[in-house]
Amino acid sequence: MMAFALIALIAGLASALMFASIISGALISLVLFYLAPLPLMVAAIGWGPLCASVGGIAAAIGLGALFGLPYCIAFAVTVALPAWWLGHLVLLSRPVGPVTPASATAPPVAPELEWYPVGRILLWIAGFATLTTIAALLTLGTDAETITGTLRRGLMRLLRATDPQTSGEASQFVEAMVRIAPAAATIIAMMTLTLNLWLSAKITATSGRLRRPWPDMKTAELPPMTLVGLCVALAFCFTGGLLAIAAQITAAALMMGYAFTGFAVLHTLTLALKSRTFWLGSTYAIVVVFGWPVIAMVILGMADAVFGFRERFLRSQQPPPLPTA
């Protein structure tokens, strides 16, 4: 029990220090800030969600006592809550069918377990990215005009600090940045949460504490109704006001989810290629360098959800059935 509490407190302290490092303003603090959920996620996957919840509560209370209630709430919503719940989902399983021993004297057989699907975990990550981005924007104001005005003034101050001779083109650039800022923040939140969960699972797998088998990432797919939710969110993007901003954030998170499944589709469809490593590496390099080609992965993920490209490809790769006598 003492070791459990010590691990929880160490994980919470590490997350809190990484989260609070953003106050320093150093460039490395930005990396630490985005990796703040990692210690709590490792604790959740390696020692159970209760360990992460204890560490997260202790860290939130400590941040609140040192820096005030806003830091406590921000840490709880953006770091502790996602780490605890995603760690819980990673370990969530259920037995598949009854298991009967071969004989009455045979030792009991462990039941085969069905683990929580990776695609549904990805959907939860999209939900947390949406929640944290909306919560961050609500700290700037409670209506669309106030939020965009605060973003506009902040970006203009940043531009004037770097270049005092700002022109009309700079104001146009600021307007464009204000419009894409909510979606961009959502994409960053989605990518960092996914990276943190993957790293924490790798760390616990390397240490031998990962209780579930490593999933086949090529099979990851979002629930079917996700596409309907994306269409609804895209429709509300044209309404205006705070509802439109929330819809843009939701749509950006879901589209990033389909981008991840698009990469899974690409890994599946290239299985038969001899130069598979080259094509996959080139695709990742192009997406990382230019950014906008990720739209192709979004389209590929959505197309697979509608037409089932992976299922058709795997079915075509299976050998034909043997003729019956």
Side-chain angles (χ1 to χ4, degrees), residues 67-250:
F67 302 107
L69 185 60
Y71 278 87
C72 173
I73 297 175
F75 179 83
V77 173
T78 62
V79 177
L81 180 61
W84 164 71
W85 184 247
L86 293 175
H88 165 71
L89 294 179
V90 167
L91 301 179
L92 193 61
S93 64
R94 62 182 181 184
V96 182
V99 178
T100 56
S103 63
T105 58
V109 180
E112 183 180 354
L113 297 177
E114 179 185 11
W115 297 92
Y116 198 76
V118 174
R120 292 185 180 272
I121 295 178
L122 196 59
L123 187 60
W124 276 103
I125 293 175
F128 279 119
T130 302
L131 173 65
T132 55
T133 306
I134 292 176
L137 290 180
L138 288 177
T139 62
L140 306 178
T142 55
D143 58 89
E145 290 77 13
T146 305
I147 292 172
T148 55
T150 305
L151 287 173
R152 188 180 297 109
R153 289 190 296 271
L155 288 172
M156 285 300 296
R157 282 197 301 268
L158 184 61
L159 282 179
R160 289 195 182 99
T162 55
D163 184 13
Q165 303 297 326
T166 54
S167 60
E169 294 181 357
S171 62
Q172 295 177 0
F173 172 76
V174 168
E175 287 296 328
M177 290 298 295
V178 167
R179 292 186 179 276
I180 67 172
T186 309
I187 292 172
I188 293 174
M190 181 86 177
M191 293 177 63
T192 53
L193 270 178
T194 305
L195 176 64
N196 277 301
L197 186 61
W198 183 83
L199 284 174
S200 59
K202 277 292 184 182
I203 292 171
T204 51
T206 303
S207 64
R209 296 198 64 91
L210 184 62
R211 295 198 289 271
R212 70 176 286 172
W214 192 262
D216 185 5
M217 298 298 183
K218 298 191 299 296
T219 63
E221 58 181 1
L222 295 173
M225 289 302 293
T226 307
L227 195 57
V228 178
L230 176 59
C231 294
V232 173
L234 289 173
F236 278 107
C237 288
F238 301 97
T239 57
L242 193 60
L243 179 61
I245 295 178
Q248 292 167 13
I249 292 171
T250 305

